Amino acid sequence: MKPTVLIIGAGIGGIATAARLAKAGFQVTVVEKNAQPGGRCGQFIRDGHRFDIGPTLFLMPEVWEETFASLGERMSDHLDLRRIDPTYKVHFEDGLQIALTSNLGAMQTQLEKVEKTAFTGFLHYIAEGSKHYKVSLEKFVGRNFYSLLEYFSPANLPLLFQLKALVKHYDNVGRYFKDPRLKAAFTFQNMYLGLSPYDAPATYSLLQYTELAEGVWYPIGGMYAAIQALTAIAEKLGAQFLYNTEVTRIETANGKVERVHLKDGRTLSADLYIGNADLPYIYKELLPDASEARKFDQMLYTCSTIMFYWGVDKPYPQIALHNVFLSGDYKASFDRIFKDHTLPDTPSFYVHAPTRVDAAAAPPGQETLFILVPVGHLDESRPQDWDQLVQKARQTVFSRLAKEMDAADLSEHIKFEVVYTAQDWKQRYHLDKGAAFGLSHNFWQVGYLRPQNRHKRYRNLYFVGASTHPGTGLPIVLLSARLTTERILRENGFLLQTRAAPQNLQTAVTP
């Protein structure tokens, strides 16, 4: 008999882990509360308009390639990737536009119009990002740490300083650019991780390197095409997915997980368990340890987002595939999000128009628009008026697109609107505080200091996803899947060797 694994949640981390473990010889079952896989990387289609719910940037292709290869597949056989260059257009309130591109000549022309020495600074900044990327991937993000001493070893300590882990990203970028607009253009990418550049480590200059050197890509069919591909591979390898199946409690005894309880009254049991639901939610709502759960109340969380999904009955070809609109008072904007937990007075936002590359994302002659507006996460001490915040965010988007993109009539051509707020992120995906990117990434919440990918007490309970090591972002979660799999094989390889698991996956109706 094969040893059995039960995975709670079919986000990309759960899917990739299921596929890896199935290939290694485990009998894997994935239970998912929603009707489809993907979690925040889901998709919905309405009136012929196709929307990716969350991520829209395909980054770090070599990490994706390794995931497919580890499963005996070639990524190119499953995904039709198109490189996007310029990666996106950055719009400032004073009218300045910068198209970030890997074309060095074009970058030099744009940057030197703003600041004479900016191109030299840019080259040094990208070089630093390259170093941060390679060292982080090899020494920190791409490996497990099994003890504090291993993390702060004599070999690693100098690397933490090389990576500028204790330097703030915005402070560091001032070494390369003086103009505040350029500082903003090369730090706002921290928002991919739900972070403020005033809090994020300077290590994250690696984000700009990955975009310009490794490329920003778009999979035809949207980001959900990658979810569908990995799910199909996992199923081909023998993994089973159960949808509309919500776990309500994890039962423990004698230092291990015994079974999970489902909303419909059944129980499921296995040899090993992996939580791919949001980690704070697992500790607070599913596990019995109140003292462990309270620790998450002291941790820092990422921001949330207000999302607008608009089906539009006419095209707006002047709107590029990826567009970033930055507010004038950059620091005040982040203070309002991360300190006041609300919407900035003048919000920044991101607009995605997939039909620039993928005509099937909308009916002919129409437009599918995805708008992301960063906002503070839920705050019980200062409850937010989400209807008011949504109205303010929507009006900001309309005003700037009318002024800067010649789209004054956009509101008249919206056929339908779907809105997500922090409340929706919490309700739909069990994201604690509605924090769209999970736990934050400061010095005390990365590496070994981040919640580990195995429970310290229940030794057959593992974790994968954005809030465990190594962190958030789709390619980083793919690394999480690899690291969790490696740890499971290291600690439970004997199950495969003996092929004599205590029990197969069992279901029973709770009395």
Side-chain angles (χ1 to χ4, degrees), residues 31 245-249 260-268:
V31 293
T245 305
E246 183 171 357
V247 173
T248 56
R249 182 164 69 93
V260 300
H261 294 253
L262 304 181
K263 191 174 184 178
D264 63 11
R266 292 179 297 155
T267 64
L268 298 175

Side-chain angles (χ1 to χ4, degrees), residues 134-434:
K134 292 170 183 175
V135 173
S136 294
L137 211 59
E138 180 182 352
K139 302 294 186 180
F140 291 98
V141 177
R143 59 164 293 187
N144 281 309
F145 293 97
Y146 296 96
S147 72
L148 192 63
L149 288 176
E150 185 180 11
Y151 184 58
F152 287 115
S153 69
N156 272 0
L157 273 176
L159 297 178
L160 289 171
F161 288 99
Q162 288 180 32
L163 292 171
K164 299 185 176 180
L166 297 173
V167 179
K168 303 304 183 189
H169 194 181
Y170 192 84
D171 292 339
N172 184 62
V173 82
R175 299 178 61 235
Y176 304 101
F177 309 103
K178 302 305 178 189
D179 190 288
R181 295 168 298 179
L182 296 183
K183 292 180 183 180
F186 291 102
T187 57
F188 79 83
Q189 293 87 350
N190 292 148
M191 290 302 297
Y192 299 167
L193 307 178
L195 304 177
S196 164
Y198 295 93
D199 299 324
T203 311
Y204 290 118
S205 60
L206 62 86
L207 292 170
Q208 292 72 47
Y209 167 77
T210 61
E211 289 181 345
L212 297 177
E214 306 292 334
V216 172
W217 301 77
Y218 179 90
I220 297 300
M223 292 297 293
Y224 198 65
I227 296 295
Q228 292 172 312
L230 289 173
T231 303
I233 292 169
E235 290 176 329
K236 185 173 76 170
L237 292 169
Q240 180 185 16
F241 289 79
L242 304 177
Y243 300 109
N244 299 307
T245 305
E246 183 171 357
V247 173
T248 56
R249 182 164 69 93
I250 297 174
E251 182 182 339
T252 62
N254 302 316
K256 67 176 185 176
V257 174
E258 292 285 344
R259 60 186 57 85
V260 300
H261 294 253
L262 304 181
K263 191 174 184 178
D264 63 11
R266 292 179 297 155
T267 64
L268 298 175
S269 58
D271 298 307
L272 304 174
Y273 299 81
I274 303 172
N276 182 225
D278 188 42
L279 192 66
Y281 174 79
I282 294 176
Y283 275 87
K284 289 183 174 185
E285 304 296 335
L286 301 185
L287 286 169
D289 311 300
S291 61
E292 287 292 319
R294 282 193 293 271
K295 293 179 182 178
F296 285 88
D297 292 332
Q298 308 305 315
M299 293 184 183
L300 294 177
Y301 285 73
T302 57
C303 69
S304 191
T305 62
I306 294 172
M307 311 293 296
F308 298 107
Y309 307 98
W310 290 337
V312 184
D313 66 11
K314 65 171 280 190
Y316 290 86
Q318 66 273 35
I319 300 177
L321 179 69
H322 301 298
N323 312 264
V324 176
F325 295 81
L326 296 178
S327 67
D329 195 333
Y330 195 59
K331 186 175 189 307
S333 178
F334 284 104
D335 284 345
R336 292 289 278 166
I337 294 170
F338 290 94
K339 294 182 180 180
D340 302 333
H341 300 151
T342 188
L343 191 69
D345 297 332
T346 54
S348 299
F349 60 94
Y350 160 78
V351 179
H352 174 53
T355 57
R356 296 295 86 78
V357 177
D358 191 354
Q366 299 188 34
E367 194 79 88
T368 291
L369 294 178
F370 163 116
I371 293 88
L372 182 156
V373 186
V375 67
H377 60 61
L378 294 171
D379 186 342
E380 293 182 356
S381 67
R382 292 174 292 181
Q384 301 99 326
D385 182 340
W386 287 102
D387 289 339
Q388 188 269 333
L389 295 180
V390 166
Q391 182 178 356
K392 179 179 178 180
R394 183 191 296 111
Q395 189 54 51
T396 297
V397 175
F398 283 151
S399 297
R400 288 200 65 176
L401 293 183
K403 178 182 176 182
E404 301 173 41
M405 301 300 294
D406 191 26
D409 63 346
L410 175 60
S411 63
E412 303 167 14
H413 291 277
I414 294 177
K415 298 158 53 181
F416 65 84
E417 173 186 82
V418 175
V419 179
Y420 279 22
T421 69
Q423 295 171 315
D424 296 285
W425 291 121
K426 182 175 182 178
Q427 185 273 324
R428 292 173 184 267
Y429 303 107
H430 289 326
L431 298 176
D432 195 26
K433 301 180 186 290

